């Protein structure tokens, strides 16, 4: 049984299967439309990356880390850059829509392919729930600005309203306590919500609406999705450039001192928020079968989009923390706030409008990604055939697209943003770790796969062990109690990180591993280890649920299993 769990799919077989698809109308072979070029892919990468991270979470991250948060943006970009190079080689070698799922099938075998396919559901579908909730917040504030008030009980989840009501009630009983605007809205939602059979009806209707609209656009076809994405990206890049240029005139260098007021620990508090800001550049790999020349264009699109977004993030973080004190940035709309504080309310208004469009573009790319993952899994027999059906007219994965709409829209009505955000970050980092590890596996094979793009080879034989030993010694000398502090529930993820790093350092010396994939694997694993132990528990439970589904259906219906039986 163990051998069957690790059965691998050849690259030739994957490319052959990619030419086959089920049409809704005729059940005959049909393909996806090949319309995407480098510019379209770069735009989609930017569309996926620049969203809630740049219009919202950059404020909380700057509040925790001060101006020094730019170091976390740069480190995260480097970690994602290593992963992007590995994604680029896989995308050039296996140019199909499965992304990390298909790459893991080639490198590690079926059980890992299923795990990463199930994990990608966290990045795309569950991640889109978080984006839909964020979009709803922007949209609600924008409507309030126009004087069109949406009842509070139609703009948030039940849990937030209930906890907000309890907190506001407790504060009201304390003389001299102030209740902020957000808490008041949660209190109003709970108090004004209608009741059905004694249960208060509180749901996020705008989140449902935007998911329905984006799902319709994605269902209609890749051209419609591309045109919409390009328009939205052009709009938000214009606004971001405007913010950087105008904000630069109001920068006070004194606000950059101290540069890291809360030290390294303060900077690292923003790991989830900052990494969430980078999620998405890998999503364009799911469009491989709709590219004109995927082996050439996909690597360029991923790398170009990551470079552009990193430059914008660092510039914006410096401008924001230079315009006002980092202490004033713990707000939901930091870009709009800094300009409002300077009396430029018209800029704040433009930012509010653009935030709505920017977040919608993230939804668009992620909503395209998930159906194509399901389509690839269905082709391999791990999901029912209906998941790989392609619409005869629109040439999109029809059933999977509609199902993704429901999977995102229904939970977005009721779920809390914080839990969803944490799950998305750790799930994506896990995908990055496996993709980087997959390149090491491909490099170790005697028969090399053909690819138009290769990760530049730099020997890690001596560099990886030397850096690891130096890092351990430096930490032990500078922070004598650090390793003792790991022996707690919260320190378990870092203990796992050090064990994995030790193994990789030894293997790097013995097998002469390539440096870049190793750095990508370890840097992404380090970011995973910064997540709380509760997030790890949720992640493990999620994977366990996925394994139950695999052994119930996928293991028996896998095409590789049936081929062996035949």
């Amino acid at each position: 049984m163990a051998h069957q769990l690790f059965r691998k799919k050849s690259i030739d077989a994957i490319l052959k299967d990619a030419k086959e698809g089920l049409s809704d109308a005729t059940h005959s072979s049909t393909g996806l439309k090949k319309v995407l070029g480098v510019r379209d892919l770069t735009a989609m990468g930017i569309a996926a990356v620049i969203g809630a991270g740049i219009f919202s979470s950059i404020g909380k991250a700057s509040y925790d880390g001060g101006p020094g948060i730019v170091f976390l943006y740069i480190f995260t970009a480097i970690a994602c850059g290593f992963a992007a190079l590995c994604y680029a080689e896989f995308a050039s070698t296996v140019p199909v829509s499965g992304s990390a799922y298909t790459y893991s099938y080639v490198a590690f075998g079926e059980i890992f392919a299923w795990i990463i396919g199930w994990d990608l559901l966290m990045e795309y579908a569950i991640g889109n729930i978080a984006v839909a909730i964020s979009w709803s917040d922007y949209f609600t504030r924008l409507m309030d600005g126009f004087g069109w008030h949406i009842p509070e009980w139609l703009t948030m989840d039940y849990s937030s309203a209930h906890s907000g009501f309890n907190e506001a009630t407790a504060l009201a009983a304390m003389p001299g306590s102030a209740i902020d605007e957000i808490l008041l809205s949660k209190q109003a939602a709970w108090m004004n919500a209608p009741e059905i059979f004694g249960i208060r009806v509180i749901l996020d209707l705008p989140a449902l609406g935007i998911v329905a609209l984006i799902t319709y656009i994605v269902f209609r076809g890749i051209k419609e999705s591309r045109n919409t994405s390009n328009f939205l990206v052009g709009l938000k890049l214009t606004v971001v450039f405007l913010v950087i240029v105008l904000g630069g005139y109001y920068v006070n260098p004194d606000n950059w001192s101290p540069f890291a007021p809360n030290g390294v620990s303060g900077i690292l508090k923003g790991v989830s928020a900052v990494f969430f800001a980078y999620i998405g550049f890998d999503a364009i790999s799911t469009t491989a079968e709709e590219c004109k020349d995927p082996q050439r264009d996909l690597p360029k699109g991923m790398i170009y989009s990551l470079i552009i977004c990193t430059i914008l993030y660092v510039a914006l973080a410096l401008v924001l923390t230079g315009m006002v004190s980092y202490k004033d940035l713990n707000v939901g709309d930091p870009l709009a706030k800094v300009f409002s504080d300077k009396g430029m309310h018209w800029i704040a208004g433009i930012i509010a409008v653009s935030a709505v469009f920017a977040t919608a573009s993230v939804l668009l790319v992620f909503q395209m990604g998930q159906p194509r993952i399901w389509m690839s899994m269905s082709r391999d027999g791990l999901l029912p055939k209906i998941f790989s059906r392609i619409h005869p007219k629109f040439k999109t994965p029809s059933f999977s697209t509609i199902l993704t709409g429901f999977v995102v829209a229904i939970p977005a009505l009721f779920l809390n943003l914080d839990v969803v955000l944490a799950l998305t970050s750790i799930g994506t980092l896990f995908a990055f770790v496996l993709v980087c590890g997959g390149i090491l596996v491909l490099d170790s094979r005697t028969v090399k796969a053909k690819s138009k793009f290769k990760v530049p080879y730099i020997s890690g034989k001596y560099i990886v062990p030397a850096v690891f030993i130096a890092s351990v010694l430096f930490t032990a000398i500078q922070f004598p109690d650090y390793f003792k502090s790991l022996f707690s529930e919260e320190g378990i993820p870092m203990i796992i990180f050090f064990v994995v790093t030790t193994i990789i350092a030894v293997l790097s010396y013995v097998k002469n591993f390539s440096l870049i994939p190793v750095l990508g694997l370890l840097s992404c694993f380090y970011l995973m280890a910064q997540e709380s132990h509760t997030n790890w528990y949720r992640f493990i439970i999620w994977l366990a649920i996925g394994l139950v589904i695999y052994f119930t259906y996928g293991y028996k219906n896998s095409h590789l299993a049936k081929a062996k039986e035949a």
Side-chain angles (χ1 to χ4, degrees):
M1 178 179 178
H3 177 70
Q4 292 178 329
L5 291 177
F6 296 99
R7 52 201 175 204
K8 298 179 179 68
K9 196 168 183 181
S10 71
I11 294 174
D12 290 339
I14 289 173
L15 295 177
K16 179 183 176 183
D17 288 349
K19 296 179 181 179
E20 301 175 359
L22 284 175
S23 164
D24 285 344
T26 63
H27 286 204
S28 61
S29 179
T30 184
L32 303 174
K33 290 181 180 179
K34 296 183 179 295
V35 299
L36 302 177
V38 175
R39 185 182 65 179
D40 302 318
L41 293 168
T42 303
M44 284 184 175
I46 296 171
V49 173
I50 296 183
I54 212 165
F55 287 95
S56 178
S57 60
I58 193 172
K60 179 63 165 62
S62 297
Y63 172 78
D64 288 330
I69 196 66
V70 297
F71 293 130
L72 185 56
Y73 276 108
I74 293 171
F75 175 77
T76 306
I78 292 172
C80 290
F82 293 142
L85 290 171
C86 297
Y87 262 98
E89 179 171 333
F90 264 124
S92 183
T93 306
V94 195
V96 297
S97 295
S99 186
Y101 158 75
T102 302
Y103 309 156
S104 296
Y105 219 145
V106 171
F108 300 110
E110 187 170 283
I111 186 67
F112 279 98
W114 171 267
I115 288 172
I116 205 64
W118 183 251
D119 172 72
L120 286 174
L121 181 61
M122 296 176 72
E123 177 180 358
Y124 297 135
I126 294 185
N128 244 2
I129 295 171
V131 178
I133 295 170
S134 294
W135 184 91
S136 175
D137 291 340
Y138 293 131
F139 181 75
T140 302
R141 286 198 295 267
L142 181 63
M143 292 299 100
D144 283 341
F146 285 121
W148 302 333
H149 180 70
I150 303 174
E152 288 84 356
W153 58 274
L154 288 176
T155 64
M156 67 183 69
D157 64 283
Y158 184 95
S159 175
S160 294
H162 187 217
S163 61
F165 171 78
N166 290 337
E167 187 177 349
T169 303
L171 286 173
M174 299 169 61
S177 297
I179 304 177
D180 62 37
E181 186 178 343
I182 295 176
L183 211 54
L184 285 173
S185 67
K186 293 178 179 179
Q187 184 185 41
W190 183 262
M191 295 177 65
N192 299 327
E195 294 187 23
I196 298 179
F197 302 116
I199 300 175
R200 296 179 188 271
V201 179
I202 302 174
L203 42 85
D204 200 337
L205 199 58
L208 172 70
I210 189 60
V211 172
L213 175 61
I214 294 296
T215 301
Y216 172 75
I217 294 172
V218 172
F219 181 83
R220 288 282 300 182
I222 190 64
K223 282 187 177 181
E224 289 76 7
S225 301
R226 177 196 64 184
N227 295 339
T228 304
S229 173
N230 289 348
F231 167 75
L232 294 176
V233 167
L235 178 66
K236 65 182 173 183
L237 284 182
T238 301
V239 172
V240 170
F241 182 74
L242 183 68
V243 169
I244 293 172
V245 172
L246 289 180
Y249 286 102
Y250 292 89
V251 167
N252 178 5
D254 292 340
N255 288 325
W256 290 334
S257 182
F259 203 71
N262 299 317
V264 175
S265 61
I267 293 174
L268 290 176
K269 277 186 180 179
V271 165
S272 284
V274 170
F275 184 76
F276 186 77
Y278 278 101
I279 289 176
F281 74 88
D282 60 305
I284 63 175
S285 63
T286 64
T287 65
E289 293 172 44
E290 289 144 302
C291 298
K292 296 172 185 176
D293 188 349
Q295 292 181 309
R296 181 198 68 189
D297 295 345
L298 272 173
K300 291 181 179 179
M302 278 188 276
I303 294 169
Y304 290 169
S305 60
L306 191 59
I307 291 173
I308 292 170
C309 293
T310 300
I311 293 171
L312 293 177
Y313 276 139
V314 171
L316 265 178
L318 288 173
V319 167
L320 285 179
T321 54
M323 289 180 69
V324 300
S325 169
Y326 71 93
K327 298 175 184 178
D328 298 329
L329 290 173
N330 190 18
V331 293
D333 50 352
L335 270 66
K337 174 185 169 49
V338 294
F339 283 100
S340 293
D341 289 350
K342 300 296 181 182
M344 292 185 289
H345 299 287
W346 63 278
I347 291 289
I350 292 174
I351 292 171
V353 173
S354 65
V356 171
F357 287 102
T359 313
S361 72
V362 179
L363 275 166
L364 177 68
V365 178
F366 279 14
Q367 209 69 355
M368 286 173 55
Q370 182 57 51
R372 285 152 180 80
I373 299 293
W374 276 338
M375 179 183 72
S376 296
M377 296 176 76
S378 174
R379 285 174 178 167
D380 296 327
L382 302 186
L383 289 175
K385 288 183 178 180
I386 193 172
F387 282 85
S388 57
R389 285 188 177 176
I390 297 173
H391 195 279
K393 179 179 178 182
F394 303 130
K395 305 298 186 199
T396 55
S398 50
F399 175 80
S400 293
T401 299
I402 294 172
L403 181 62
T404 300
F406 279 103
V407 168
V408 174
I410 302 303
L413 283 170
F414 308 107
L415 284 186
N416 182 278
L417 179 62
D418 294 335
V419 173
V420 176
L421 187 72
L423 271 175
T424 303
S425 293
I426 195 171
T428 306
L429 283 165
F430 182 63
F432 287 5
V433 166
L434 283 188
V435 169
C436 293
I439 293 298
L440 296 175
V441 172
L442 288 189
D443 287 345
S444 67
R445 293 181 179 175
T446 53
V447 179
K448 306 295 183 183
K450 295 180 180 179
S451 176
K452 290 185 179 180
F453 179 87
K454 289 284 188 182
V455 175
Y457 179 80
I458 302 171
S459 175
K461 184 179 182 70
Y462 299 108
I463 298 175
V464 175
V467 171
F468 173 62
I469 293 171
S471 299
V472 171
L473 290 175
F474 175 81
T475 303
I477 294 170
Q478 294 295 319
F479 309 99
D481 297 327
Y482 176 75
F483 290 105
K484 290 182 181 178
S485 68
L486 296 181
F487 291 96
S488 63
E489 196 171 32
E490 197 62 54
I492 292 175
M494 276 305 296
I495 292 175
I496 297 172
F497 169 76
F498 279 112
V499 171
V500 171
T501 304
T502 303
I503 295 171
I504 294 296
V506 172
L507 290 176
S508 295
Y509 180 79
V510 173
K511 298 195 173 185
N512 203 14
F513 278 167
S514 176
L515 181 63
I516 290 177
V518 168
L519 291 178
L521 188 157
L522 294 180
S523 57
C524 290
F525 205 107
Y526 175 77
L527 291 173
M528 278 186 75
Q530 298 307 304
E531 299 284 355
S532 68
H533 70 280
T534 53
N535 288 343
W536 275 78
Y537 290 157
R538 294 187 189 107
F539 177 61
I540 292 170
I541 291 171
W542 175 263
L543 293 185
I545 293 171
L547 288 174
V548 170
I549 297 173
Y550 169 71
F551 285 109
T552 304
Y553 181 89
Y555 179 76
K556 296 179 291 185
N557 291 280
S558 165
H559 288 174
L560 289 184
K562 291 182 178 180
K564 187 174 181 179
E565 291 174 1

